[in-house]
Amino acid sequence: MRVTLSWLREHVDLPAGLDADGLEKALVKVGLEVETMTDTGATVSGPLVVGRVESIEELQGLKKPIRYCLVDVGGEQPQGIICGARNFAEGDTVIVALPGAVLPGGFAISARKTYGRVSNGMICSGQELGVSDDHEGIIVLPPKTAKPGDEARPLVGLDDIVVEVNVTPDRGYCFSVRGIARELSHSLGGAYRDPVAAVVPLKGDGAPAYPIEVLDSVACDRFTAVAVRGADPAAPTPQWMRNRLATAGIRSISLPVDITNYVMIEMGQPMHAWDLGRLTGPLVVRRAQAGEKLTTLDGVTRALDPEDIVIADDTGVVSLAAVMGGATTEVSAATVDVLFEAAHWDPRSVARTIRRHRLPSEAGKRYERGVDPQITAVACARAAALLAEYGGGTVSAGVTDVSAVAAPEPVTMSVTRPSELAGVEYSPERVLEILAMIGTEVVADGDLLTVTPPSWRHDLNDPADLAEEVLRLDGYDRIPSVLPIAPPGRGLTATQRRRRTVGRALVDAGYVETLCYPFVGTPTIDAMRIPADDPRRDTVLLRNPLSDEEPALRTTLLPPLLATLRRNLGRGLRDLALFEIGLVFLPAGPLGVAPAAGVDGPPSAEEFAAVDELLPRQPWHVAAVIAGDAEPAGWWGGGRPADWADAVEAARTVAAAAGVELTVRAAAEAPWHPGRCAALLVGDTVVGHAGELHPAVCADLDLPRRTVAMELDLDALPIPGVSIAPRLSSFPTALIDVALVVDAATPAGEVEAALAEGAGPLLESVRLFDVYSGAQLGEGRKSLGYKLTFRAPDRTLTGDEALAARDSAVAVAASRLGAVLRGA
């Protein structure tokens, strides 16, 4: 919303010396966002004068039309000026920048020879002077506006301050001079003169200005119309009105249309001008019907939606209500009878129509934020009076005014509510003063206030809204900025420390952490071959997803992590090891609807509990994926591609960092290869899986063959108690290797557990270093080689003690798993 300071001064008493900086501070004080502040007097320097075109010579033999003009600028002789514009003629009054002037952007004007003639200046357009975006032609002033040589700045608004305010959705009333002037009166304390109060609505003679029928009072609860007949279609828009519209970024079109735009900027009430001679039958406000179309003023034919609000006559739809009129009934250069319309439309319907047709407009911006339904009659009276004054028309006696406007709902608030909200003491007198200042009607009953908002404040619907107005207008600067004192000594929780420890351990192992969006789609779950009855298919759908392809929250970390792996592979990387620690979302059943909560206080414990019951379970998981070589090739030798064992080792790294013992056993779980998948257990509880992805999964997800992955439920891992540092023995170790022949299906982890149990307390560590299978062992048999490390805390072990411990370990493995000492 752009407006000049001089226009604001017409409606509010401002200090005489108020400059751009002071105006900006005054607007910011009441919570308005100032985008730009421009002192137009400083944008153009040097001689800028009024000129009258004496003669025009069309230069021949050029690629584009060029004119050589003699312009009277008040001197002894007219000045010759080259100009390419075509929208002026001999005798017209124009704006001339003489040599020595500097236009916006640092464009300096000087006498120069061009097209074989000397040009002593420039005839200016609105864009060149920075007063509008119109560059289709130069500025032509109405006749007798000024004489040649007069200072031109006041005529085009270059002696003013222009402020541009970013109007937020809740402050729609500030999309007008009326609203901004009211806010300035609150900020600076000057007397406010409401432009609406200065206009007397037309009472009419009881007859309608034009027959109107409103079939949908929800979509349109107020429709007012006034007719002006016999207007001069050639009457020009006064220059002062053109200047103000140009400042607001609106191009001058014709006097009736310019008047509707001017009243919209002044009062905030969008309007529409109809050519009465082109209407057939009564106007009907209704919803569009299936198959209807409308050619709007921009020349585009639009297919209408049954939710669109339209205005129709006997010929069909003639206007897309509140957004844009139709081409068949627009005001033209031959229009003499004009029907002015001002209405109040449903903001939600207007907003949806604007987005549905991708048709933003100045009227739509205001309607979707909410306009004052009580000023339609005033707006029509103001528009009719302007057209009668400047276009010579006669205002008809009839007035159409269809109204079904509901009174604003009163809001009940405690007089102490603002003080409770801000922590600043506001006296009851100050609260009542501010509420009256913004136009509310207040009935006090002790400490309880019943407040009826004014018709232009659709945003005041709750006690918190009223309390915020008190805070805003009394001054946000009065509210101290006090940081809360953080309670000391709490630090990280045990689960937070574990997550950080696990992340550091994986990074130390060579993995790179990623943060993925927690969204997933059914095609990805299908590609992972997850069975139909698997709980991971029970996802939580989002009501407004970022992407329709991923409308659900993930139940496993692998889909977004594998997508990140694929994306990086596509960018040229070949050897990748990625991991993520994040939440998954596991619903226990259909999600219910959360209970409504007010804003007058914090939710109660019962409300919190009710909401928590509806939320899906959200455990922390950790997942890792590897593609390419786990060990790169180089001068030191060949590399090693990643395999299922690397995924298992990643799980062991997580378990070690979390301080738990992990048991590994064979399993079959999607999306892993059924013969290369391991279940990860803590005790008897499966906490995750690791292994090589199924070849079909790799193909469907466009991943390299033999890609491996691991996922583990971090929250399922028990948090160990306080760790006691072990006593370190200074005595030497005894190292003994054993090779045990077992059945090929026997997991190495079970053999290792049996050896550890049998060896007793002297065993310090056991490590698998060799796996062998061959014909000499027999079919279905394999040999596992383990290195056993023995040490006593208080003495050097003898050979017999070490051998006895080894024999005990082998005996337990033999009895439990049928292991045989190789070579025995």
Side-chain angles (χ1 to χ4, degrees):
M1 172 69 188
R2 295 175 63 195
V3 64
T4 60
L5 179 59
S6 61
W7 198 353
L8 292 171
R9 285 186 183 276
E10 294 180 8
H11 302 291
V12 61
D13 290 339
L14 299 175
L18 185 66
D19 58 5
D21 184 59
L23 178 60
E24 181 176 5
K25 289 179 179 178
L27 292 171
V28 170
K29 180 182 176 182
V30 289
L32 294 178
E33 299 180 17
V34 177
E35 288 285 334
T36 59
M37 186 73 68
T38 306
D39 186 349
T40 59
T43 60
V44 177
S45 62
L48 187 71
V49 300
V50 175
R52 183 174 60 244
V53 181
E54 298 290 336
S55 65
I56 299 175
E57 178 185 352
E58 302 286 348
L59 300 185
Q60 304 298 322
L62 302 174
K63 295 182 179 179
K64 59 181 180 179
I66 296 295
R67 292 170 151 188
Y68 179 69
C69 309
L70 289 179
V71 183
D72 180 2
V73 293
E76 296 181 359
Q77 298 291 332
Q79 300 295 313
I81 299 175
I82 293 291
C83 184
R86 314 291 297 175
N87 68 316
F88 65 100
E90 294 180 358
D92 282 346
T93 304
V94 295
I95 305 297
V96 179
L98 296 175
V102 179
L103 303 186
F107 185 68
I109 304 299
S110 61
R112 60 192 182 94
K113 187 173 183 180
T114 179
Y115 299 109
R117 306 293 178 92
V118 175
S119 181
N120 289 305
M122 184 172 76
I123 304 175
C124 301
S125 69
Q127 187 182 62
E128 289 161 342
L129 293 177
V131 297
S132 74
D133 296 329
D134 187 7
H135 194 54
E136 295 182 2
I138 55 94
I139 296 174
V140 179
L141 300 176
K144 301 180 181 180
T145 301
K147 64 181 185 297
D150 285 353
E151 174 63 39
R153 286 174 177 82
L155 300 176
V156 291
L158 286 175
D159 59 344
D160 213 337
I161 293 175
V162 177
V163 59
E164 182 176 1
V165 177
N166 180 22
V167 180
T168 53
D170 62 325
R171 307 287 290 278
Y173 64 94
C174 286
F175 247 130
S176 65
V177 174
R178 180 194 187 201
I180 296 178
R182 181 184 284 110
E183 291 298 313
L184 278 176
S185 74
H186 299 335
S187 179
L188 299 175
Y192 172 64
R193 294 175 293 279
D194 192 343
V196 170
V199 179
V200 178
L202 299 173
K203 294 183 178 180
D205 58 0
Y210 195 84
I212 307 289
E213 185 178 6
V214 178
L215 300 182
D216 191 338
S217 60
V218 174
C220 176
D221 57 9
R222 185 81 183 267
F223 195 105
T224 307
V226 171
V228 179
R229 301 180 184 274
D232 181 4
T237 301
Q239 189 61 40
W240 61 267
M241 187 181 292
R242 287 188 182 187
N243 293 343
R244 288 181 171 180
L245 291 176
T247 299
I250 298 177
R251 181 172 57 91
S252 176
I253 298 174
S254 65
L255 179 58
V257 175
D258 290 350
I259 287 173
T260 62
N261 288 328
Y262 180 80
V263 173
M264 176 181 68
I265 299 297
E266 180 183 53
M267 298 183 177
Q269 172 63 58
M271 300 188 65
H272 185 63
W274 304 82
D275 186 336
L276 269 173
R278 303 174 75 175
L279 292 175
T280 304
L283 292 178
V284 179
V285 177
R286 58 174 173 81
R287 299 283 180 172
Q289 298 172 1
E292 285 188 312
K293 295 183 178 181
L294 171 68
T295 302
T296 47
L297 291 174
D298 56 0
V300 178
T301 300
R302 304 178 187 276
L304 301 179
D305 187 273
E307 289 298 315
D308 292 334
I309 311 170
V310 298
I311 303 175
D313 66 1
D314 289 349
T315 64
V317 177
V318 292
S319 176
L320 190 56
V323 180
M324 187 173 286
T328 59
T329 56
E330 69 174 317
V331 173
S332 67
T335 300
V336 294
D337 297 332
V338 178
L339 180 70
F340 286 117
E341 164 225 317
H344 183 256
W345 307 95
D346 175 49
R348 292 180 180 85
S349 297
V350 174
R352 290 168 184 158
T353 298
I354 290 172
R355 285 152 184 76
R356 187 181 300 119
H357 294 282
R358 295 180 176 86
L359 191 60
S361 65
E362 290 294 326
K365 289 178 187 178
R366 289 160 174 81
Y367 278 127
E368 67 181 353
R369 287 167 170 82
V371 300
D372 188 348
Q374 301 296 344
I375 65 169
T376 57
V378 171
C380 284
R382 172 70 164 151
L386 288 172
L387 184 57
E389 179 180 356
Y390 293 100
T394 301
V395 180
S396 298
V399 175
T400 300
D401 193 1
V402 180
S403 179
V405 177
E409 289 290 334
V411 179
T412 303
M413 180 188 75
S414 169
V415 74
T416 61
R417 177 62 175 151
S419 300
E420 296 168 357
L421 183 65
V424 175
E425 188 63 31
Y426 298 101
S427 67
E429 294 76 16
R430 180 59 174 160
V431 172
L432 292 172
E433 177 189 358
I434 292 176
L435 293 178
M437 187 188 305
I438 62 176
T440 64
E441 296 180 3
V442 183
V443 177
D445 183 9
D447 286 346
L448 197 63
L449 305 179
T450 301
V451 183
T452 302
S455 57
W456 61 85
R457 292 300 301 269
H458 304 276
D459 57 313
L460 303 181
N461 305 306
D462 193 273
D465 299 330
L466 298 173
E468 183 183 358
E469 287 298 290
V470 175
L471 273 57
R472 180 175 70 90
L473 296 181
D474 191 73
Y476 286 130
D477 53 340
R478 284 198 58 221
I479 303 174
S481 298
V482 180
L483 291 176
I485 300 175
R490 301 181 71 172
L492 299 175
T493 65
T495 55
Q496 288 172 329
R497 286 195 299 271
R498 178 171 65 182
R499 288 198 297 270
R500 295 192 181 192
T501 302
V502 167
R504 284 194 296 268
L506 287 171
V507 169
D508 290 344
Y511 290 81
V512 176
E513 185 172 12
T514 66
L515 294 174
C516 305
Y517 285 115
F519 309 127
V520 68
T522 301
T524 303
I525 297 177
D526 293 340
M528 293 176 63
R529 301 298 194 273
I530 294 178
D533 58 348
D534 194 297
R536 288 173 292 175
R537 279 191 175 272
D538 297 332
T539 57
V540 178
L541 294 177
L542 299 173
R543 179 168 294 179
N544 188 23
L546 293 180
S547 169
D548 291 337
E549 296 178 356
E550 295 178 329
L553 292 171
R554 65 190 176 190
T555 54
T556 165
L557 297 183
L558 289 180
L561 189 57
L562 292 173
T564 301
L565 178 70
R566 179 177 65 247
R567 188 179 306 112
N568 282 273
L569 289 169
R571 292 174 179 172
L573 300 177
R574 288 294 173 263
D575 304 323
L576 288 167
L578 309 177
F579 81 95
E580 181 182 9
I581 300 175
L583 295 171
V584 297
F585 306 86
L586 307 177
L591 298 182
V593 178
V599 296
D600 54 343
S604 65
E606 292 76 15
E607 289 174 326
F608 270 123
V611 172
D612 284 340
E613 285 293 323
L614 299 174
L615 294 176
R617 193 167 63 89
Q618 301 173 47
W620 285 89
H621 280 208
V622 56
V625 294
I626 315 173
D629 287 343
E631 298 175 4
W635 57 265
W636 52 84
R640 181 182 67 81
D643 59 18
W644 63 269
D646 293 292
V648 173
E649 186 58 30
R652 292 187 186 278
T653 300
V654 171
V660 298
E661 291 287 338
L662 200 64
T663 303
V664 179
R665 71 181 181 202
E669 180 83 0
W672 287 276
H673 191 298
R676 296 167 188 166
C677 173
L680 310 173
L681 296 90
V682 174
D684 295 328
T685 303
V686 177
V687 296
H689 292 84
E692 179 184 312
L693 294 180
H694 195 287
V697 173
C698 293
D700 288 350
L701 295 180
D702 199 19
L703 296 172
R705 295 178 65 251
R706 300 295 180 90
T707 297
V708 300
M710 175 277 296
E711 183 170 7
L712 191 148
D713 184 351
L714 266 182
D715 285 355
L717 304 183
I719 297 178
V722 177
S723 299
I724 300 176
R727 293 183 60 187
L728 299 179
S729 174
S730 60
F731 294 94
T733 61
L735 304 177
I736 300 179
D737 294 345
V738 296
L740 301 177
V741 179
V742 296
D743 187 80
T746 302
E750 294 184 11
V751 178
E752 181 178 320
L755 290 173
E757 180 181 337
L762 295 179
L763 182 67
E764 186 174 86
S765 67
V766 56
R767 180 174 63 85
L768 177 68
F769 69 87
D770 181 59
V771 179
Y772 172 75
S773 60
Q776 60 269 42
L777 296 180
E779 185 177 354
R781 306 286 284 176
K782 65 181 177 181
S783 172
L784 302 177
Y786 291 92
K787 185 177 292 295
L788 307 179
T789 302
F790 298 96
R791 192 199 307 258
D794 55 354
R795 67 188 188 281
T796 299
L797 289 176
T798 65
D800 291 340
E801 289 177 310
L803 289 174
R806 182 208 61 182
D807 293 341
S808 176
V810 171
V812 172
S815 63
R816 182 176 301 172
L817 303 171
V820 177
L821 192 63
R822 187 176 174 187

